[in-house]
Amino acid sequence: MSEEMQRTIEALVDGQRGILAADESSGTIAKRFAAIGVESTEQNRQAYRSALLATPDLGQYIAGVILFEETLEQCDTEGTALTAVAQAQGIVPGIKVDKGKGPLPGAPGDMITYGLDGLAERLTDYKDKGARFAKWREVYPISHHNPTALGLTANAEMLARYAAVCQSVGIVPIVEPEVLIDGDHSIERSAAVNERVWHAVFHALHQHGVELEYLLLKPSMVTPGKSAPRAPVEQVAEWTLKILRRTVPAAVPSINFLSGGQSPQEATKNLNAINALSGQSPWQLSFSFARALQEPALQAWRGEAVNTGAAQAVFLKRARLNHLAMLGEYRVDMEP
Ligand code: 13P
């Protein structure tokens, strides 16, 4: 198992590339399509996602793709499996395995994610279909009293149990504790919450015997709430690195941030600042964005086949700019 997971880690972590999150659930993709006036039919989802994966040269900047269950079994119009389209570009297919979230009873305002029952069997099936890594997301809203102590423990426990099941079948888990940016909280409050969350997660991973060498962490960046004034990128980088260093063991090979509702440019700027400030850090500091990679592509595509090339061009550009941000070489004047 560990040799197989080591190969997956080596394919995903090369200091140059990130992960595309294209695993929007049926509800979420419907919302993204509605924003560009496109109906979420199976055909439209196939057209859109196969266009993303077929983007020429994408493999230069993207090492892995997180798919939704439907996509793992889908083919393009020529009958090639979308997993094969990804693999042909040197992109490792992965799979979202959680089944969404709901309220956590006993902890008003906190959430909990579903999907542990039968997970080992599902993972074995996904592996047969080409998936080499998985993703599970726990969600933490920030409010005056959230996350609660129970919320912290219960969510960490879910992530650790999921990760342990993944590793038992040779699948590399992406552990995603998403602290939401909704609200008007300060960057200091975000730092304090993320610190408690990451600490609880690594404590639970340890208790469940999860091997840190074979997992990826997908955290939020430490930013102020969406309704609070923006923080300078240097401050985001400083807080994010400070809290990561306090809580994430050096054995973890890579940290792949989510974008969480930041604009594409903001997410890239922050990733660049984090890498520029990090110096010799024990982990790769990369990305696993959904919205911050896809938004410009969705706007360019708008459900029309004639726009596919234009959508692929802006998508490739976002992927390249985030690759440059990993190297600390991104500049805002590269945007227009
Ligand atoms: P965003 O980058 O849009 O936050 O999505 C990342 C993701 O995979 C959420 O689970």
Side-chain angles (χ1 to χ4, degrees), residues 242-265:
K242 185 186 187 102
I243 304 303
L244 286 173
R245 287 178 183 137
R246 285 182 183 172
T247 53
V248 182
V252 173
S254 180
I255 293 171
N256 292 65
F257 294 100
L258 58 91
S259 59
Q262 299 184 58
S263 73
Q265 190 171 331

Side-chain angles (χ1 to χ4, degrees), residues 258-273:
L258 58 91
S259 59
Q262 299 184 58
S263 73
Q265 190 171 331
E266 189 183 2
T268 309
K269 268 162 62 178
N270 284 331
L271 179 65
N272 188 70

Side-chain angles (χ1 to χ4, degrees), residues 21 23 32 66 135 137 176 178 218 258-261 288-292:
D23 60 329
R32 303 277 182 266
I66 314 172
K135 183 196 100 171
R137 169 175 176 254
E176 181 180 4
E178 176 170 2
K218 176 165 172 168
L258 58 91
S259 59
S288 173
F289 300 156
R291 282 165 286 178

